Amino acid sequence: MADQKDARLEDLFSQLLTAPGPAEAQLIEGAIWHIWGQSDDGAVRALMEDGVAAMSRRDYRRALSRFEQMVAIAPDFAEGWNKRATVHYLMGNYRASLEDIVRTLELEPRHFGALSGRGLVYVALEDEQRALESFEEALAIHPNLVSAAINAEALRKSLREKQI
């Protein structure tokens, strides 16, 4: 299954680079997120579902607990680390978020969501240069990632103003 999954991702990432615009890219992005969220392990699927539901209710403690369990039983499941990184970010645990983003990117170097998330963490830490670099890395993989493009442009403007 992993080979089939990898082949599907390769094709989707190629399409993502050449998508004519944000609308078309959004469909491809959705397919990538769907694949990233898949697991053959029923326990992982249940933890993901419960963790995501808890996040949507802003029950970050419960979400964190679920994602901690997920990474413990499935340490090679990149999306588990990414979800835990997101919850850490939402809770203001920026260093922990960065640590989980590192692991996510070790497992899936093209994870534009983790790269963009890293940019948001660096914005929160007031490290504009690293934030900009993170958003630009995300855009190199997903050129139509609108939020990353907006954030990158705002950071470029801020950094230019500071140079004056």
Side-chain angles (χ1 to χ4, degrees):
M1 170 116 173
D3 291 335
Q4 183 182 21
K5 189 176 187 179
D6 291 344
R8 288 185 297 161
L9 282 172
E10 290 302 323
D11 184 48
L12 288 167
F13 276 107
S14 293
Q15 292 176 40
L16 196 59
L17 279 174
T18 60
E24 296 84 358
Q26 191 171 14
L27 294 172
I28 300 163
E29 177 186 329
I32 291 170
W33 279 108
H34 177 75
I35 292 169
W36 281 343
Q38 290 179 343
S39 174
D40 294 333
D41 185 318
V44 170
R45 287 193 308 271
L47 289 166
M48 176 68 83
E49 185 176 311
D50 192 35
V52 169
M55 280 177 65
S56 71
R57 296 189 310 271
R58 294 191 172 115
D59 184 353
Y60 300 135
R61 283 191 140 125
R62 182 176 181 91
L64 183 60
S65 170
R66 296 310 178 258
F67 299 140
E68 285 176 345
Q69 292 174 53
M70 191 182 337
V71 300
I73 64 172
D76 293 331
F77 183 51
E79 196 51 30
W81 294 96
N82 184 58
K83 288 291 189 275
R84 192 171 84 167
T86 302
V87 173
H88 278 307
Y89 168 77
L90 292 169
M91 295 176 78
N93 303 330
Y94 301 129
R95 296 293 169 200
S97 182
L98 287 173
E99 290 171 12
D100 284 354
I101 290 167
V102 167
R103 183 68 179 131
T104 302
L105 294 171
E106 286 172 352
L107 294 166
E108 175 50 87
R110 303 166 299 187
H111 203 300
F112 49 80
L115 290 165
S116 187
R118 186 175 67 189
L120 293 174
V121 172
Y122 283 132
V123 166
L125 293 172
E126 299 180 3
D127 188 337
E128 290 184 332
Q129 186 58 50
R130 283 188 177 164
L132 176 58
E133 290 166 5
S134 295
F135 292 126
E136 287 176 340
E137 283 182 62
L139 289 165
I141 295 163
H142 186 341
N144 288 292
L145 190 57
V146 175
S147 60
I150 291 168
N151 286 322
E153 186 52 41
L155 288 163
R156 282 187 207 100
K157 181 180 179 191
S158 175
L159 288 167
R160 273 193 309 269
E161 290 171 356
K162 289 178 180 176
Q163 289 178 343
I164 297 174

